[in-house]
């Protein structure tokens, strides 16, 4: 089972493979590391997590989105097609 608990800048991403889908949460943190906002997600594919969750929450920041995608791939999450 793939899992990820990663932070980049003010963003924290937690994800786990739950059978046929990926569930987790992404948070925007304040300067002290406490969550200001938290969005939970339950998506079927890696690309859905990246495009529907991470990209919009980071305000369209491609660098952070791509870095989180790389972290997810390293953790064992795969796009099935």
């Amino acid at each position: 089972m793939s899992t990820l608990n990663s932070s980049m800048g003010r963003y924290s991403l937690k994800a786990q493979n739950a059978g046929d889908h990926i569930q987790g949460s992404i948070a925007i943190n304040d300067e002290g590391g406490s969550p200001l906002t938290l969005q939970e997600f339950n998506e079927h594919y890696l690309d859905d997590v990246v495009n529907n969750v991470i990209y919009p929450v980071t305000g369209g920041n491609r660098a952070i989105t791509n870095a989180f995608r790389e972290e997810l791939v390293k953790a064992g999450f795969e796009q099935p097609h």
Side-chain angles (χ1 to χ4, degrees):
M1 175 181 275
S2 302
T3 60
L4 176 71
N5 187 355
S6 181
S7 295
M8 289 185 202
R10 296 181 64 177
Y11 302 98
S12 298
L13 177 67
K14 294 181 182 181
Q16 67 180 4
N17 189 331
D20 65 342
H21 59 279
I22 302 168
Q23 65 183 27
S25 63
I26 187 167
I28 301 173
N29 304 314
D30 65 13
E31 290 79 12
S34 299
L36 294 172
T37 64
L38 177 77
Q39 178 177 337
E40 294 183 348
F41 60 86
N42 189 0
E43 298 284 349
H44 286 283
Y45 303 111
L46 174 61
D47 285 348
D48 291 341
V49 173
V50 172
N51 296 327
N52 299 340
V53 180
I54 299 171
Y55 187 75
V57 169
T58 62
N61 187 317
R62 291 184 189 272
I64 292 176
T65 300
N66 289 335
F68 271 135
R69 187 180 200 295
E70 288 176 16
E71 291 291 318
L72 286 162
V73 170
K74 286 180 191 176
F77 293 92
E78 298 177 351
Q79 182 70 21
H81 50 74

